[in-house]
Amino acid sequence: MKDTKWLIGLFALMLLASLGAGEARAAPLAGKSVTVERRDMDFTILPNGNVLVRETWQVAFHGGAFTYAFREISLHGVEAISGWQIAEKNHAYTPADTEAPYTYTVENSPALTRVTWYFPETTNSTRTFILTYTLEQAVWIDEGGDRFRWTAIEDGRGYPIQHARAVIHLPVAVEPALVKPIAYHNDRKTTKRDLRANDGQTIIFETHNLADGEAWKIGVRWPHGAMTAQPPLWQREAMKQVTVLERQQRAEITPDGNATVTASWRIHFQGGPFTTASHAIGYAGSDEVVPDRLWMDGQECHRDNPLCQPEIFFDEKKVEMRWLFQPIIDGTHTFHLQYALQGVVWQGRKYDLFQWTAIEAQHEAPIEQAIIVVVLPQTYANGQWEAQAEANGQIIPLAEANGRSFGWKVNNLAPGVGVRVRLRWPHGAIHAPLPHWQQKQIREARFKVFTGASVLLFLMGGLGAALLVWYALGRDPSSGQAVPVTPHLPSDLPPGLVGVLVDEKVDQRDIIAAFWGLAHKGYLVLLPSAFGTLDEKAIVERRSPPQAKSLHPHEQAILDAIFGYKNSTTFKEAARALHKHRKYIERVIYGDAVAARLFRRSPAAVRRWSRRVVGIVWGSVVLILGLAFILLRAPLWSRLAFWLSVAAMFLGSVFWWLARFMPRKTRKGAQEAARWRAFRKFLAHIKRYAPPETVAQQFEAYYPYAVALGLGRNVVKQFSVVPNMPSPPWLLFPASLRANRQNTAATKTTSSNALHGAPEHTSSASNALNAAAQTIFDDLSDLTDGFFRSLDTATGSSSSTYSGSGGSSSWSSSSSWSSSSSSWSSSSDFGGGGSSGFG
């Protein structure tokens, strides 16, 4: 406890310290802020593609002191940023590596440029800064129109801007209608609101009240022809595009079961530069992929060739071959590749099979035309071979078939669409052992059969063991001859024990049945509530019968639970008391069942012991098999362990379920259970075995056993139609209340007769008695149902393998190729951006 208090105290101190530190850090910022009153920008576009920029910042400092400011600009959409100059109205800043006032530093990285300038300590005053610099090659050059797009106000800042103005000067004057200005606030187009002027050479934008984190982007497009510059490198990168004009794949199968593959690509490159090309071949469907040679534009690629050099990479799934060449911009070139697929033919008893992914689905560029040729080891007559190719589920017709050479031609293959080829011919032309991957498939197929048989035998053996365990340990002895159905109680066994004897468990109806059994024995009576009804406010009184019979321990436990030291209680309080002591009462009932020699051991104890054994045994089996699945390195045996562990979990659940049937009766218990089951048939269909009138006097004796056997309401319904049916003696109604009930029932009966045209001489008194009895029986059923609801609420019950698959091809300046041709109306392709701030 002391340790716990010490830890709580330490945590509280740490929390207070962190809060204090946070306040200490926040304190200076609370009284220190910046507002940019104006930020004006002037962009002058030069014919060579550069843009001269002048920014004027009018900054109001609140609190302080402030000593520096910075501006970061992203290099997206520009080759470089140079020519930095910083000035104020009367001072020109000088570049330096110090933080002295009126100096600045410039830091360049591949992604951005950062300028930081330092000024004298400033508090509660206004300063005006002038920034000038050059954006190198910041204009997009295109025959459809040149353009300049720039993030004039970056979103990465911690201050508001009251007013901003941007002026763009084109290199030449053109018709104003041919100039297309554009403006965005973040991703919201605001051209009409922000545009102030457009005379064909000068375009002016203005905006107000830019909040922290709000970017302002501006741009303009004008007719092509005024610029002398060529498209910049970043534009060529963005416009890079590859089209495969023709792709040829030729596979020649040799008698040793291998295939020699020659592949060629005729590629048109747009934009650039491109410096690499690659093609990957998966191992699936072959024993090995052996690269041979690579060519480019008719020249073989090798280490000493400066125009083209090869690179080859191996991993567990594929071989990747690359061409490294001099930068290519806007041209058409041819690439060749030769390699061998070893052990690529599947050999059967009657037929051999070649399945090949001729065009991989992972190609990134569209293919205008693909030609695929497969040559067999020898020539076959028509009808002896089958040849098929498909792309994206569509069959490609044969373009060539002479019995040995088979060709297909397909046009316009989009990226992501591959071509697979399948050929079959008579066995005998291949003189080689089965390829390793086929042998593996055969082993796996056989092991699947072995796994299925093992799991099936395991399941059958486990189920057989379950049946054998139940037969040896849980099956009840024979009860002897069939028991006739009679209206007599089979024995003096109390209702609570009858319930547990029949279904081998104590539930709420057994406790309720024992309650009514005590009423039948005279140990308690029920009186109506103050409203004259039998409801939860009805009175339960304890009585001592003149000829007291000995009580079973569970009956005494129920009386003690209900009354304690009292002699009366309400029905609602009785139900609460039974719930409170329910677990104890259940244990006593089980003990009475064993003491009465109905069971050898308590059914609850047998079920607990059985499930404990099941948990230990089958849990161990599942644990061992699970560890085998994890630790075994052989995939097939690991898979067998997995399925056996699944089967073991299923068998464990079967044994767990079987535990409910493991309690075993004695011979006496089996005979008693047979007699009481026969009596249950009688209670379920009294009219079938005896007229209810002849056994009406037995209702009060029958009812507790009917509740124990789950037939309480059924029995009440059958007896409620008996004329002049007496109510049980343990239901005590005062004479005045009984007469009042009879009068009320008589009034209802007379009204009913009148409505139905019954004769006036009908015995209304007799009908009234019957109606009163019906009311009492309904109350009794409702009381029993209320018992069930009270206990329920309180306890809360409730496929084919193709060789070469998995490959890919790409043509790019890095490991993959991508293209982006941004739309003029998009807000996602503005240059610049970045951040700025003060400190």
Side-chain angles (χ1 to χ4, degrees):
M1 187 67 182
K2 292 181 179 179
D3 292 342
T4 303
K5 290 183 178 179
W6 181 82
L7 288 174
I8 294 174
L10 179 61
F11 175 75
L13 288 175
M14 292 173 63
L15 180 61
L16 289 174
S18 63
L19 290 175
E23 291 178 358
R25 287 191 301 268
L29 297 178
K32 182 177 179 178
S33 63
V34 168
T35 300
V36 175
E37 298 174 348
R38 291 190 63 87
R39 186 160 155 186
D40 298 337
M41 291 143 286
D42 190 271
F43 301 91
T44 302
I45 302 174
L46 304 179
N48 65 358
N50 294 348
V51 179
L52 304 180
V53 184
R54 177 186 174 93
E55 297 187 14
T56 303
W57 299 27
Q58 183 176 317
V59 184
F61 296 95
H62 311 289
F66 293 87
T67 59
Y68 72 91
F70 72 90
R71 171 88 158 98
E72 283 186 353
I73 304 177
S74 168
L75 295 180
H76 176 70
V78 62
E79 292 295 331
I81 301 177
S82 62
W84 281 98
Q85 292 183 6
I86 310 294
E88 288 192 57
K89 192 172 184 180
N90 298 319
H91 289 89
Y93 285 58
T94 59
D97 294 333
T98 66
E99 297 181 3
Y102 303 115
T103 64
Y104 70 91
T105 60
V106 178
E107 302 172 74
N108 293 303
S109 70
L112 56 85
T113 292
R114 176 187 174 108
V115 59
T116 305
W117 63 97
Y118 303 91
F119 45 85
E121 288 189 359
T122 302
T123 303
N124 295 325
S125 62
T126 301
R127 304 185 76 100
T128 301
F129 304 103
I130 300 172
L131 287 69
T132 59
Y133 51 90
T134 301
L135 304 176
E136 298 183 8
Q137 300 297 301
V139 179
W140 181 286
I141 308 298
D142 188 87
E143 293 182 357
D146 301 335
R147 74 189 191 206
F148 171 67
R149 293 158 62 98
W150 196 250
T151 301
I153 303 293
E154 66 284 351
D155 56 1
R157 52 189 166 78
Y159 55 86
I161 299 177
Q162 294 179 349
H163 182 85
R165 187 173 189 264
V167 180
I168 300 178
H169 304 280
L170 299 184
V172 294
V174 297
E175 288 291 332
L178 300 178
V179 177
K180 305 297 181 183
I182 195 168
Y184 279 88
H185 280 238
N186 288 339
D187 294 329
R188 179 168 50 91
K189 193 173 182 179
T190 57
T191 306
K192 292 183 179 180
R193 190 185 73 181
D194 297 346
L195 182 64
R196 295 293 183 267
N198 174 14
D199 64 2
Q201 188 168 14
T202 302
I203 299 91
I204 302 174
F205 302 89
E206 286 188 4
T207 189
H208 303 275
N209 300 322
L210 287 169
D212 176 15
E214 183 178 3
W216 189 38
K217 308 172 185 178
I218 51 102
V220 63
R221 185 177 65 181
W222 63 95
H224 179 66
M227 306 296 295
T228 60
Q230 296 297 316
L233 181 61
W234 61 267
Q235 178 186 344
R236 294 198 297 269
E237 286 282 351
M239 293 181 62
K240 283 181 8 176
Q241 186 174 348
V242 170
T243 302
V244 180
L245 303 178
E246 184 179 79
R247 170 114 176 239
Q248 294 188 16
Q249 296 283 107
R250 178 185 175 89
E252 186 170 348
I253 302 171
T254 55
D256 58 3
N258 301 333
T260 301
V261 180
T262 303
S264 67
W265 294 259
R266 188 161 62 90
I267 308 294
H268 177 68
F269 297 97
Q270 179 180 342
F274 296 86
T275 58
T276 64
S278 66
H279 181 62
I281 304 163
Y283 293 127
S286 64
D287 285 345
E288 190 176 356
V289 178
V290 182
D292 188 3
R293 290 182 292 176
L294 292 81
W295 295 267
M296 177 181 175
D297 294 333
Q299 295 187 30
E300 184 175 353
C301 300
H302 52 79
R303 294 294 179 186
D304 298 329
N305 187 348
L307 299 179
C308 176
Q309 297 181 356
E311 280 188 350
I312 300 176
F313 300 92
F314 297 86
D315 61 27
E316 296 179 354
K317 296 183 178 181
K318 65 182 183 302
V319 175
E320 183 175 352
M321 289 158 279
R322 294 181 184 177
W323 293 261
L324 307 180
F325 44 83
Q326 297 296 321
I328 295 175
I329 299 175
D330 297 330
T332 301
H333 298 267
T334 302
F335 299 85
H336 287 81
L337 167 67
Q338 186 171 307
Y339 59 93
L341 298 174
Q342 295 187 351
V344 77
V345 178
W346 185 92
Q347 301 177 44
R349 294 182 178 180
K350 295 183 178 180
Y351 294 95
D352 295 339
L353 183 66
F354 175 64
Q355 299 187 120
W356 180 40
T357 301
I359 307 291
E360 68 285 348
Q362 290 78 16
H363 64 89
E364 299 176 354
I367 301 174
E368 293 186 355
Q369 185 180 72
I371 299 174
I372 302 164
V373 177
V374 179
V375 180
L376 299 183
Q378 64 185 52
T379 303
Y380 296 94
N382 290 338
Q384 291 184 305
W385 51 265
E386 292 181 6
Q388 178 180 304
E390 61 93 12
N392 204 22
Q394 301 295 321
I395 302 300
I396 303 173
L398 270 169
E400 172 193 356
N402 59 14
R404 184 178 184 185
S405 179
F406 302 87
W408 294 266
K409 187 180 293 186
V410 59
N411 297 324
N412 300 321
L413 280 176
V417 178
V419 178
R420 298 193 300 180
V421 173
R422 183 178 185 274
L423 280 93
R424 193 179 75 167
W425 63 91
H427 179 68
I430 303 300
H431 308 288
L434 297 181
H436 297 302
W437 61 270
Q438 183 183 353
Q439 296 179 30
K440 181 180 178 181
Q441 283 185 347
I442 294 173
R443 288 195 303 271
E444 289 182 350
R446 291 174 178 172
F447 204 86
K448 283 182 180 179
V449 175
F450 172 74
T451 299
S454 300
V455 173
L456 182 61
L457 289 174
F458 186 62
L459 286 173
M460 292 177 63
L463 294 174
L467 183 61
L468 183 62
V469 168
W470 171 82
Y471 188 86
L473 302 177
R475 185 174 65 95
D476 292 335
S478 174
S479 60
Q481 297 179 349
V483 179
V485 178
T486 67
H488 305 293
L489 293 175
S491 68
D492 60 352
L493 204 63
L497 294 188
V498 170
V500 70
L501 176 66
V502 172
D503 58 12
E504 299 180 344
K505 64 180 180 179
V506 178
D507 48 30
Q508 64 228 30
R509 72 184 185 193
D510 301 329
I511 299 175
I512 297 170
F515 175 87
W516 294 124
L518 288 169
H520 169 60
K521 290 183 177 182
Y523 283 91
L524 56 85
V525 294
L526 271 74
L527 289 82
S529 66
F531 298 99
T533 58
L534 291 174
D535 53 21
E536 64 178 13
K537 295 182 180 180
I539 305 300
V540 183
E541 287 189 357
R542 186 169 187 169
R543 297 292 174 90
S544 297
Q547 296 180 351
K549 300 179 181 179
S550 61
L551 293 178
H552 287 75
H554 75 274
E555 294 175 315
Q556 186 64 50
I558 290 174
L559 283 177
D560 293 342
I562 294 175
F563 297 105
Y565 296 103
K566 301 182 296 183
N567 288 323
S568 67
T569 185
T570 63
F571 185 82
K572 182 177 182 180
E573 291 300 324
R576 287 181 176 175
L578 290 179
H579 160 65
K580 181 178 179 181
H581 298 88
R582 176 174 176 174
K583 295 297 182 183
Y584 171 71
I585 294 171
E586 288 179 355
R587 289 197 298 271
V588 177
I589 293 176
Y590 281 126
D592 286 353
V594 176
R597 297 182 180 178
L598 302 177
F599 297 93
R600 289 187 173 88
R601 292 181 60 198
S602 167
V606 171
R607 280 190 289 269
R608 285 196 302 270
W609 179 84
S610 300
R611 285 174 175 164
R612 189 176 296 118
V613 172
V614 168
I616 294 173
V617 173
W618 286 104
S620 301
V621 172
V622 172
L623 178 62
I624 292 171
L625 291 173
L627 289 174
F629 166 68
I630 295 172
L631 300 177
L632 285 175
R633 295 189 176 184
L636 298 181
W637 289 103
S638 177
R639 195 177 306 159
L640 174 62
F642 169 77
W643 287 112
L644 287 177
S645 64
V646 172
M649 286 189 284
F650 170 75
L651 289 175
S653 64
V654 170
F655 274 83
W656 187 273
W657 170 80
L658 185 66
R660 63 185 296 188
F661 303 104
M662 291 306 293
R664 188 172 188 177
K665 300 180 183 71
T666 62
R667 183 170 297 277
K668 175 186 175 182
Q671 293 172 350
E672 282 280 356
R675 288 194 287 267
W676 283 103
R677 288 193 186 97
F679 184 68
R680 188 184 189 281
K681 292 182 181 179
F682 164 74
L683 292 180
H685 306 284
I686 294 176
K687 292 182 180 180
R688 183 183 300 175
Y689 300 103
E693 297 83 358
T694 62
V695 293
Q697 298 299 325
Q698 297 295 320
F699 170 77
E700 66 148 332
Y702 288 168
Y703 185 68
Y705 293 99
V707 173
L709 297 171
L711 297 171
R713 184 169 285 276
N714 179 285
V715 169
V716 167
K717 183 178 180 181
Q718 294 184 75
F719 278 102
S720 63
V721 297
V722 176
N724 302 320
M725 178 68 189
S727 63
W730 34 266
L731 288 178
L732 301 183
F733 280 86
S736 59
L737 183 57
R738 188 180 297 275
N740 183 39
R741 282 204 165 202
Q742 291 178 1
N743 291 335
T744 302
T747 302
K748 292 182 179 179
T749 304
T750 303
S751 300
S752 176
N753 290 340
L755 286 172
H756 292 84
E760 293 182 1
H761 60 270
T762 302
S763 176
S764 60
S766 175
N767 290 339
L769 287 173
N770 292 336
Q774 175 67 48
T775 302
I776 292 173
F777 280 118
D778 289 343
D779 288 346
L780 181 62
S781 294
D782 291 340
L783 276 179
T784 302
D785 292 343
F787 247 138
F788 278 107
R789 285 192 299 271
S790 297
L791 292 179
D792 275 340
T793 303
T795 56
S797 55
S798 59
S799 69
S800 299
T801 302
Y802 284 77
S803 61
S805 61
S808 62
S809 59
S810 63
W811 314 84
S812 64
S813 58
S814 58
S815 59
S816 62
W817 165 84
S818 62
S819 65
S820 60
S821 55
S822 58
S823 170
W824 170 245
S825 61
S826 170
S827 66
S828 61
D829 193 32
F830 283 79
S835 62
S836 61
F838 300 86

